[in-house]
C-alpha cells in the first residue's frame, strides 16, 4: 500500500478519538491525562503531540477538562459523544457490504455563489463523509436514504441545497454511474492495504501490548470504512475485498480484547459526576 493510501492512523487526534470512543464512550467516566499520554506513548506519539492535541480538542468542545488535586482528567462532551457514536455505529452496527439494496438513490443538488469557496468546501466535505459521490457539476448521489438535516446542520450552504429520492431508469448504466461517481480502485485499495498490513502475523505492526495494538487496529479500520460509501453489492466488481477485511478486523479485535480491556480497567478514572458532568 502506498503512503498516499495508508490510513491516517498516525495522527494523534485520530488515535485519541478512537481511544475515547472505544474505551470511554458509555462508561460515564473521566480519565487522567497522564493515563492518556501513557497509552499514546505506547503507539509512538510524543507527550508534546498528545498534550497539544488534547488542548485543541478541548478548545473545540470535544473534551471536558477538570482538575482534582494535582491531577487533570478528561471526559466526553455532548458534541464528542455524538461524533463517537457515529463511529461506533459504523464500526459495529453497519454491515460493510450493502446487500438488499432497493434501487433508491438520494439525489442532491446545489448551486452556490462563486465567492463561496469556503462554504463549498465545507459542504463537499460533509457530503463525502455521508457517502455521496459527485455525479456532475453540483449534482451528487448516495446509494441509501440520507437525512440532510443532520449533514447540513450549521452549514451556511444548507439553504441552497435540494434533496430528492430517485431511481435510475433506462438507458442509465448504473455500473458506469457508480464507476464515474466513486473511485472504486481507491476504496478497494484501502481494504486490500488493511488486509496486507494485518493478515500476516509476521508483518503486522509491533506494539508493546494488546491495548496499543487494538487501538491502532481500530483507528486504521475506522479510516478505511469512513471512506467507503457502502455501494450496492450488485454494482461492485467481483472479488470486492471489504468482507474479508471486515472478518479479519473482527477476529483480531476479539483476540486482543481480553488483555486490552484489562489494561483499560486499570486506568486512572473518576466518575463523570465527580468531574461535574453527568
Amino acid at each position: 500500500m502506498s503512503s498516499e493510501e495508508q490510513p491516517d492512523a498516525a495522527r494523534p487526534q485520530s488515535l485519541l478519538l478512537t481511544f475515547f470512543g472505544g474505551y470511554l464512550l458509555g462508561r460515564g467516566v473521566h480519565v487522567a491525562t497522564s493515563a492518556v499520554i501513557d497509552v499514546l506513548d505506547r503507539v509512538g506519539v510524543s507527550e508534546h503531540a498528545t498534550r497539544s492535541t488534547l488542548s485543541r480538542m478541548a478548545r473545540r468542545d470535544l473534551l471536558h477538562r477538570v482538575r482534582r488535586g494535582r491531577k487533570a482528567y478528561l471526559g466526553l462532551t455532548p458534541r464528542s459523544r455524538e461524533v463517537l457514536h457515529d463511529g461506533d455505529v459504523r464500526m459495529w452496527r453497519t454491515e460493510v457490504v450493502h446487500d438488499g439494496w432497493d434501487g433508491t438513490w438520494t439525489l442532491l443538488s446545489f448551486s452556490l455563489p462563486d465567492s463561496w469557496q469556503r462554504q463549498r468546501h465545507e459542504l463537499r466535505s460533509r457530503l463525502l463523509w455521508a457517502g455521496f459521490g459527485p455525479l456532475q457539476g453540483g449534482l451528487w448521489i448516495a446509494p441509501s436514504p440520507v437525512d440532510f438535516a443532520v449533514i447540513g446542520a450549521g452549514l451556511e450552504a444548507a439553504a441552497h441545497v435540494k434533496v430528492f429520492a430517485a431511481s435510475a431508469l433506462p438507458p442509465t448504466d448504473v455500473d458506469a454511474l457508480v464507476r464515474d461517481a466513486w473511485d472504486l480502485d481507491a476504496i478497494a485499495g484501502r481494504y486490500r492495504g488493511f488486509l496486507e498490513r494485518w493478515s500476516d502475523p509476521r508483518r503486522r505492526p509491533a506494539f508493546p501490548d494488546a491495548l496499543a495494538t487494538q487501538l491502532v487496529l481500530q483507528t486504521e479500520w475506522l479510516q478505511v470504512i469512513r471512506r467507503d460509501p457502502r455501494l450496492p453489492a450488485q454494482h461492485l466488481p467481483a472479488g470486492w475485498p471489504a468482507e474479508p477485511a471486515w472478518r479479519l478486523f473482527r477476529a483480531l479485535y476479539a483476540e486482543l480484547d481480553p488483555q486490552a480491556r484489562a489494561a483499560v480497567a486499570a486506568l486512572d478514572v473518576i466518575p463523570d459526576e465527580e468531574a461535574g458532568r453527568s
Side-chain angles (χ1 to χ4, degrees):
M1 181 165 54
S2 69
S3 59
E4 290 80 13
E5 290 297 324
Q6 286 193 19
D8 195 10
R11 284 185 60 194
Q13 181 165 306
S14 298
L15 290 159
L16 287 167
L17 285 171
T18 304
F19 173 79
F20 284 101
Y23 305 115
L24 264 72
L25 185 64
R27 288 184 61 196
V29 297
H30 280 49
V31 62
T33 301
S34 57
V36 179
I37 290 170
D38 178 64
V39 172
L40 268 289
D41 178 67
R42 299 179 210 174
V43 299
V45 180
S46 70
E47 178 176 347
H48 173 74
T50 300
R51 287 189 182 277
S52 297
T53 307
L54 290 172
S55 295
R56 186 165 59 250
M57 291 171 70
R59 289 195 299 271
R60 293 173 55 204
D61 193 35
L62 290 171
L63 292 175
H64 172 246
R65 291 194 291 189
V66 64
R67 295 200 69 88
R68 288 295 175 266
R70 300 179 64 182
K71 292 185 177 181
Y73 290 83
L74 297 158
L76 302 179
T77 65
R79 183 184 177 198
S80 59
R81 288 190 186 101
E82 181 179 341
V83 171
L84 296 173
H85 175 73
D86 177 70
D88 184 70
V89 169
R90 293 200 184 197
M91 185 180 290
W92 300 112
R93 305 178 212 174
T94 304
E95 294 295 329
V96 74
V97 175
H98 193 170
D99 291 317
W101 182 60
D102 67 358
T104 301
W105 299 89
T106 298
L107 196 65
L108 182 147
S109 69
F110 62 88
S111 179
L112 304 179
D114 292 340
S115 60
W116 281 27
Q117 296 300 318
R118 175 183 57 81
Q119 293 90 336
R120 183 176 286 105
H121 174 74
E122 289 176 346
L123 176 58
R124 287 175 172 171
S125 296
R126 293 206 192 182
L127 292 179
L128 290 169
W129 167 262
F132 280 89
L135 200 56
Q136 59 184 50
L139 192 62
W140 290 60
I141 195 167
S144 57
V146 178
D147 184 355
F148 184 75
V150 175
I151 300 171
L155 275 183
E156 190 176 358
H160 297 257
V161 170
K162 297 177 178 63
V163 187
F164 307 88
S167 298
L169 300 175
T172 305
D173 182 340
V174 177
D175 287 349
L177 180 153
V178 167
R179 290 194 302 270
D180 289 343
W182 289 277
D183 188 341
L184 298 185
D185 289 341
I187 298 169
R190 285 188 281 271
Y191 280 114
R192 293 192 179 102
F194 183 88
L195 284 164
E196 180 180 342
R197 180 164 161 84
W198 290 96
S199 59
D200 187 344
R202 295 167 299 179
R203 299 180 62 183
R204 286 176 198 160
F207 296 101
D209 57 29
L211 175 57
T213 305
Q214 191 186 63
L215 175 60
V216 174
L217 176 75
Q218 288 185 86
T219 304
E220 294 193 5
W221 180 245
L222 275 168
Q223 294 297 317
V224 173
I225 62 176
R226 279 176 166 162
R227 290 183 282 178
D228 178 4
R230 295 183 64 249
L231 296 163
Q234 61 264 46
H235 297 296
L236 291 171
W240 191 248
E243 194 83 30
W246 177 79
R247 289 196 297 269
L248 174 64
F249 166 73
R250 295 292 291 262
L252 291 177
Y253 183 94
E255 178 185 318
L256 294 163
D257 204 44
Q259 292 184 43
R261 292 291 164 182
V264 170
L267 297 178
D268 180 6
V269 300
I270 60 173
D272 283 348
E273 293 82 0
E274 188 177 329
R277 288 289 177 101
S278 59

